[in-house]
Amino acid sequence: LNSFVTRTNTCGELRSAHVGQKVTLYGWVQYQRQGLFLVLRDFHGLTQVIIPQDEAHSHVKQLLSNAPLESVLRVTGTVSPRPLGQENPKMPTGDIEVKAETAEILNSCKKLPFEMKDFIKKSEALRMQYRYLDLRSFRLQSNLRLRSRVVMRMREYLCNLHGFVDVETPTLFKRTPGGAKEFLVPSREAGKFYSLPQSPQQFKQLLMVGGLDRYFQVARCYRDEGSRPDRQPEFTQIDIEMSFVDQAGIQRLVEGLLQHSWPEERGSIMTPFPSMTYEEALAEYGTDKPDTRFGMKIVDISDVLRGSNIHFVQNALSYPHGSIRAICIPQGVRYLTNKDLESLKESAKSQFNQEIMEIVRRPDGSLKSLLTKFLGEKVKSELIQALNMQEDDVVLLAAGEHKQVCSALGALRLLSVNLLEAAGLALRDPTAFHFLWVVDFPLFLPKAENPTELESAHHPFTAPHPSDASLLYSDPTKVRSQHYDLVLNGNEVGGGSIRIHNAEQQRFVLEKVLKEDSEVLSHLIEALEFGAPPHGGIALGLDRLISLIVDAPSIRDVIAFPKSFRGRDLMGSAPDYVTPEELEPYHIQVSWPLEEKEAKEN
């Protein structure tokens, strides 16, 4: 840590073994007390510096006593043991202090926009405006250094242990059909634009066609997704592609990669990771990214209630995909208020247009609900057994179309656990890391804006499941894909697939199923005609993964210079205006809305 620089030690490394040594430290003034001592801070830690009180060092005393907080100092002095009883066991350097002999203010700090202490709350906008100050905090320093260590270990695993080749792919490319919106970059050719790639997907497939066999990249990616919470317009992926591999091979690779690069201080992770199908995830958790750290699974109670005379139950079961399902909230009577329960019902109604019925199990074992008068004792008993209801549990029941019911209950499951934990019932271990593979996704989904048309569930290069390949040409809605997602604690941290390596199949998917212009991808389709090997890969979201490892409230806390919620750089005021003269070579004129034009002119 001290190679190539003029300090002798960092502010975090001095111990009792250094007593008597003359040292030179550099750092920022963290704290100063009444001209007696100050605390010097650098990236590595803190050291207490004793300010000399004798006349011979009066100039040093004056300089150190008057140095503003966060000023940069050089201090030279002798390491001494702290007086008996004044040791600080909370500081790694708490057994020693440095008695200053010479000092220099290398740069004085003006009045700060906020206090630098970690426990002082600052608005996120202010933190991002002065990001270079925020970066001095212990939390951000720790997050970025852990991120660096994880990436280095990943490189070691992939390149040194398994022969992957680190290849940089272009940032300026062309529009890709489907997927997220891409940023456009003007060119000097009138009407022609580059696109910033949302991933290096096409390039990594072309590298496989080129015979590279194993590719890896810490890839910068871009998505113009507007104002979405906890998303960034530019983000980082650990991007991987392999030839002659199947789904199981990619999964084993990723499990080994994460196990090798996992920070020791976060415990160990067990492999292989469990796996479940997309249909199982939806049926039991109501989502394709289940948080498996706690129970409260969705339970199918259709058969229990099938013989009842409840109108809405019979109505739901009369439909082809009708279903009656429920979740059981443990100790819901004790920890949830009536207001909480009403907010859960309202959430299901507003987000999913789904009505919710509640059932409470009283301390005497009986059930309280608007439904109970329609249920016989046998059905009540079967219901209690099916849901494993205990005293003071609350059941939320939904009836209707299978996917809608499951999605609504899955959302309520997550809202409920947040409410329970806020009220003091711990259900999720904050130190636990539950990885899960979700597999067998549908290859295509109906478009939200036009359900008669299809779009790729993953992307248009994903290969169909081998068992469903024939259905691609007769009933594409029933085709499963060779797409797999990696989920951690209810967050998607990776996604990949085995790719289509046959040109005709790729052309069919684009033109006949997705109704896309295959000419846009003619370079890729042509490449597949020149002996493309079977191949597949995955991309891990590095920002999301690191934020979960360090338990950061936002991915912005693991990125050195993130964008704001609205995609702006508040520190540098980007994006910014450019002059008409600067736009002229790109054949672009800005058409201003009237109110913006007036505001700009004023």
Side-chain angles (χ1 to χ4, degrees), residues 487-528:
V487 177
L488 172 58
N489 294 354
N491 297 269
E492 182 191 334
V493 292
S497 65
I498 301 302
R499 324 298 186 189
I500 296 172
H501 67 279
N502 177 280
E504 284 308 309
Q505 190 177 74
Q506 184 66 80
R507 188 177 285 111
F508 179 85
V509 166
L510 288 167
E511 295 178 356
K512 303 301 182 184
V513 181
L514 300 176
K515 313 298 183 189
E516 295 276 5
D517 180 8
S518 65
E519 192 58 33
V520 180
L521 294 166
S522 59
H523 57 284
L524 178 63
I525 294 174
E526 185 178 20
L528 298 181

Coordinates of all heavy atoms in Angstrom, one line a residue, residues 487-528:
V487 N -31.4 -16.0 -9.6 CA -32.1 -15.2 -8.6 C -31.4 -15.2 -7.3 O -30.9 -16.3 -6.8 CB -33.6 -15.6 -8.5 CG1 -34.3 -14.8 -7.4 CG2 -34.3 -15.5 -9.8
L488 N -31.2 -14.1 -6.6 CA -30.6 -14.0 -5.3 C -31.5 -13.2 -4.4 O -31.8 -12.0 -4.6 CB -29.2 -13.4 -5.4 CG -28.5 -13.1 -4.0 CD1 -28.4 -14.3 -3.2 CD2 -27.2 -12.4 -4.2
N489 N -32.1 -13.8 -3.4 CA -32.9 -13.2 -2.4 C -34.0 -12.4 -3.0 O -34.4 -11.2 -2.7 CB -32.1 -12.2 -1.5 CG -31.1 -13.0 -0.6 OD1 -31.1 -14.2 -0.6 ND2 -30.3 -12.3 0.1
G490 N -34.7 -12.9 -4.1 CA -35.8 -12.3 -4.7 C -35.4 -11.3 -5.8 O -36.3 -10.5 -6.3
N491 N -34.1 -11.2 -6.1 CA -33.7 -10.2 -7.2 C -33.0 -11.0 -8.3 O -32.2 -11.9 -8.1 CB -32.6 -9.3 -6.6 CG -33.2 -8.4 -5.5 OD1 -33.7 -7.3 -5.8 ND2 -33.2 -8.9 -4.3
E492 N -33.3 -10.7 -9.5 CA -32.7 -11.3 -10.7 C -31.2 -10.7 -10.8 O -31.1 -9.5 -10.9 CB -33.4 -11.0 -12.0 CG -32.8 -11.6 -13.2 CD -33.4 -11.1 -14.5 OE1 -34.6 -10.7 -14.5 OE2 -32.7 -11.2 -15.5
V493 N -30.2 -11.5 -10.7 CA -28.8 -11.1 -10.8 C -28.1 -11.6 -12.0 O -27.0 -11.3 -12.3 CB -28.0 -11.5 -9.5 CG1 -28.5 -10.7 -8.3 CG2 -28.0 -13.0 -9.3
G494 N -28.8 -12.4 -12.8 CA -28.2 -12.9 -14.0 C -29.3 -13.6 -14.9 O -30.3 -14.0 -14.5
G495 N -29.0 -13.5 -16.2 CA -29.9 -14.2 -17.2 C -29.1 -14.6 -18.4 O -28.2 -13.9 -18.8
G496 N -29.5 -15.7 -18.9 CA -28.8 -16.2 -20.1 C -29.6 -17.3 -20.8 O -30.7 -17.6 -20.4
S497 N -29.0 -17.8 -21.9 CA -29.7 -18.8 -22.6 C -28.7 -19.6 -23.5 O -27.6 -19.1 -23.8 CB -30.8 -18.2 -23.5 OG -30.2 -17.4 -24.5
I498 N -29.2 -20.7 -24.0 CA -28.5 -21.4 -25.2 C -29.1 -20.7 -26.4 O -30.3 -20.4 -26.5 CB -28.8 -22.9 -25.2 CG1 -28.3 -23.5 -23.9 CG2 -28.2 -23.5 -26.4 CD1 -26.8 -23.3 -23.6
R499 N -28.2 -20.4 -27.4 CA -28.6 -19.5 -28.5 C -29.1 -20.4 -29.7 O -28.7 -21.5 -29.8 CB -27.5 -18.6 -28.9 CG -26.6 -18.1 -27.8 CD -27.3 -17.2 -26.8 NE -26.4 -16.6 -25.9 CZ -26.7 -15.9 -24.8 NH1 -28.0 -15.8 -24.5 NH2 -25.8 -15.4 -24.0
I500 N -29.8 -19.7 -30.6 CA -30.1 -20.3 -31.9 C -28.8 -20.3 -32.7 O -28.2 -19.2 -32.9 CB -31.2 -19.6 -32.6 CG1 -32.5 -19.7 -31.8 CG2 -31.4 -20.1 -34.0 CD1 -33.7 -18.8 -32.3
H501 N -28.4 -21.4 -33.2 CA -27.1 -21.4 -34.0 C -27.4 -21.8 -35.5 O -26.5 -22.0 -36.3 CB -26.0 -22.2 -33.4 CG -26.3 -23.7 -33.4 ND1 -27.1 -24.3 -32.5 CD2 -25.9 -24.7 -34.3 CE1 -27.2 -25.6 -32.7 NE2 -26.4 -25.9 -33.8
N502 N -28.7 -22.0 -35.8 CA -29.1 -22.3 -37.2 C -29.8 -21.1 -37.8 O -30.7 -20.5 -37.3 CB -30.2 -23.5 -37.1 CG -30.7 -23.9 -38.4 OD1 -31.6 -23.2 -38.9 ND2 -30.2 -24.9 -39.0
A503 N -29.2 -20.7 -39.0 CA -29.7 -19.5 -39.6 C -31.2 -19.5 -40.0 O -31.9 -18.5 -39.8 CB -28.8 -19.2 -40.9
E504 N -31.6 -20.7 -40.5 CA -33.0 -20.7 -40.9 C -34.0 -20.6 -39.8 O -35.0 -20.0 -39.8 CB -33.3 -22.1 -41.7 CG -32.7 -22.1 -43.1 CD -33.2 -20.9 -43.9 OE1 -34.4 -20.6 -43.9 OE2 -32.3 -20.2 -44.5
Q505 N -33.6 -21.2 -38.6 CA -34.5 -21.1 -37.4 C -34.5 -19.7 -36.9 O -35.5 -19.2 -36.5 CB -33.9 -22.1 -36.4 CG -34.9 -22.2 -35.2 CD -34.4 -23.2 -34.1 OE1 -33.5 -22.9 -33.4 NE2 -35.0 -24.4 -34.1
Q506 N -33.3 -19.0 -37.0 CA -33.2 -17.7 -36.5 C -34.1 -16.7 -37.4 O -34.8 -15.9 -36.9 CB -31.8 -17.2 -36.5 CG -31.6 -15.8 -35.9 CD -31.9 -15.7 -34.5 OE1 -31.1 -16.0 -33.6 NE2 -33.1 -15.2 -34.2
R507 N -34.0 -17.0 -38.7 CA -34.8 -16.2 -39.6 C -36.3 -16.4 -39.4 O -37.1 -15.4 -39.4 CB -34.4 -16.5 -41.1 CG -35.0 -15.6 -42.1 CD -34.6 -15.9 -43.5 NE -33.2 -15.4 -43.8 CZ -32.2 -16.2 -43.9 NH1 -32.3 -17.5 -43.9 NH2 -31.0 -15.7 -44.2
F508 N -36.7 -17.6 -39.2 CA -38.1 -18.0 -38.9 C -38.6 -17.3 -37.7 O -39.7 -16.7 -37.7 CB -38.3 -19.5 -38.8 CG -39.7 -19.9 -38.5 CD1 -40.6 -20.1 -39.6 CD2 -40.2 -20.1 -37.2 CE1 -41.9 -20.5 -39.3 CE2 -41.5 -20.4 -37.0 CZ -42.4 -20.6 -38.0
V509 N -37.8 -17.3 -36.6 CA -38.3 -16.6 -35.4 C -38.5 -15.2 -35.6 O -39.5 -14.6 -35.1 CB -37.2 -16.9 -34.2 CG1 -37.5 -16.0 -33.1 CG2 -37.3 -18.3 -33.8
L510 N -37.5 -14.5 -36.3 CA -37.6 -13.1 -36.5 C -38.8 -12.7 -37.4 O -39.6 -11.8 -37.1 CB -36.3 -12.5 -37.1 CG -35.1 -12.5 -36.1 CD1 -33.8 -12.3 -36.9 CD2 -35.3 -11.4 -35.0
E511 N -38.9 -13.4 -38.5 CA -39.9 -13.0 -39.5 C -41.3 -13.5 -39.3 O -42.2 -12.7 -39.3 CB -39.4 -13.4 -40.9 CG -38.1 -12.7 -41.4 CD -37.6 -13.3 -42.7 OE1 -38.2 -14.2 -43.3 OE2 -36.6 -12.7 -43.2
K512 N -41.4 -14.8 -39.0 CA -42.7 -15.4 -38.9 C -43.3 -15.3 -37.5 O -44.6 -15.1 -37.4 CB -42.6 -16.9 -39.3 CG -42.0 -17.1 -40.7 CD -42.8 -16.4 -41.7 CE -42.2 -16.7 -43.1 NZ -43.0 -16.0 -44.2
V513 N -42.5 -15.4 -36.5 CA -43.1 -15.3 -35.1 C -43.1 -13.9 -34.6 O -44.2 -13.4 -34.1 CB -42.3 -16.3 -34.1 CG1 -42.9 -16.2 -32.7 CG2 -42.3 -17.7 -34.7
L514 N -42.0 -13.2 -34.6 CA -41.9 -11.9 -34.0 C -42.3 -10.8 -35.0 O -42.5 -9.6 -34.6 CB -40.5 -11.6 -33.5 CG -40.0 -12.6 -32.4 CD1 -38.6 -12.3 -32.1 CD2 -40.9 -12.6 -31.2
K515 N -42.5 -11.1 -36.3 CA -42.8 -10.1 -37.3 C -41.8 -9.0 -37.4 O -42.2 -7.8 -37.5 CB -44.2 -9.5 -37.1 CG -45.3 -10.6 -36.8 CD -45.5 -11.6 -37.9 CE -46.7 -12.5 -37.6 NZ -46.7 -13.6 -38.6
E516 N -40.5 -9.3 -37.2 CA -39.5 -8.3 -37.2 C -38.8 -8.3 -38.6 O -38.8 -9.3 -39.3 CB -38.4 -8.5 -36.1 CG -38.9 -8.4 -34.7 CD -38.9 -7.0 -34.2 OE1 -38.6 -6.1 -35.0 OE2 -39.2 -6.7 -33.1
D517 N -38.2 -7.2 -39.0 CA -37.4 -7.2 -40.2 C -36.1 -7.8 -40.0 O -35.2 -7.3 -39.3 CB -37.2 -5.7 -40.6 CG -36.5 -5.6 -41.9 OD1 -36.2 -6.6 -42.6 OD2 -36.1 -4.4 -42.3
S518 N -35.9 -9.0 -40.5 CA -34.6 -9.7 -40.3 C -33.4 -9.1 -41.0 O -32.3 -9.4 -40.7 CB -34.7 -11.2 -40.8 OG -34.9 -11.2 -42.2
E519 N -33.7 -8.1 -41.9 CA -32.6 -7.5 -42.6 C -31.7 -6.7 -41.6 O -30.5 -6.6 -41.9 CB -33.2 -6.5 -43.7 CG -32.1 -6.0 -44.6 CD -31.4 -7.1 -45.4 OE1 -32.0 -8.1 -45.7 OE2 -30.2 -6.9 -45.7
V520 N -32.3 -6.2 -40.5 CA -31.5 -5.5 -39.5 C -30.4 -6.4 -38.9 O -29.4 -5.9 -38.5 CB -32.5 -5.0 -38.4 CG1 -31.7 -4.2 -37.3 CG2 -33.6 -4.1 -39.0
L521 N -30.7 -7.7 -38.9 CA -29.7 -8.6 -38.3 C -29.1 -9.5 -39.4 O -28.7 -10.6 -39.1 CB -30.5 -9.5 -37.3 CG -30.9 -8.8 -36.0 CD1 -31.9 -9.6 -35.2 CD2 -29.7 -8.4 -35.2
S522 N -29.1 -9.0 -40.6 CA -28.6 -9.9 -41.7 C -27.1 -10.3 -41.5 O -26.7 -11.4 -41.9 CB -28.7 -9.1 -43.0 OG -27.9 -7.9 -43.0
H523 N -26.3 -9.5 -40.8 CA -24.9 -9.8 -40.6 C -24.8 -11.0 -39.7 O -24.0 -11.9 -39.8 CB -24.2 -8.6 -39.9 CG -24.8 -8.1 -38.7 ND1 -26.0 -7.4 -38.7 CD2 -24.5 -8.3 -37.4 CE1 -26.3 -7.1 -37.5 NE2 -25.5 -7.6 -36.7
L524 N -25.7 -11.1 -38.6 CA -25.7 -12.2 -37.7 C -26.2 -13.5 -38.4 O -25.7 -14.6 -38.2 CB -26.5 -11.9 -36.4 CG -26.6 -13.0 -35.4 CD1 -25.2 -13.3 -34.8 CD2 -27.6 -12.6 -34.3
I525 N -27.3 -13.3 -39.1 CA -27.9 -14.5 -39.8 C -27.0 -15.1 -40.8 O -26.8 -16.3 -40.9 CB -29.3 -14.1 -40.4 CG1 -30.3 -13.7 -39.3 CG2 -29.8 -15.3 -41.3 CD1 -31.6 -13.2 -39.9
E526 N -26.3 -14.2 -41.5 CA -25.3 -14.7 -42.5 C -24.1 -15.4 -41.8 O -23.7 -16.5 -42.2 CB -24.7 -13.5 -43.3 CG -23.8 -14.0 -44.4 CD -23.3 -12.9 -45.3 OE1 -23.3 -11.7 -44.9 OE2 -22.8 -13.2 -46.4
A527 N -23.7 -14.9 -40.6 CA -22.6 -15.5 -39.9 C -23.0 -16.9 -39.4 O -22.2 -17.8 -39.4 CB -22.3 -14.7 -38.6
L528 N -24.3 -17.1 -39.1 CA -24.8 -18.5 -38.7 C -24.7 -19.5 -39.8 O -24.7 -20.7 -39.6 CB -26.2 -18.4 -38.1 CG -26.4 -17.5 -36.9 CD1 -27.9 -17.5 -36.4 CD2 -25.5 -18.0 -35.7

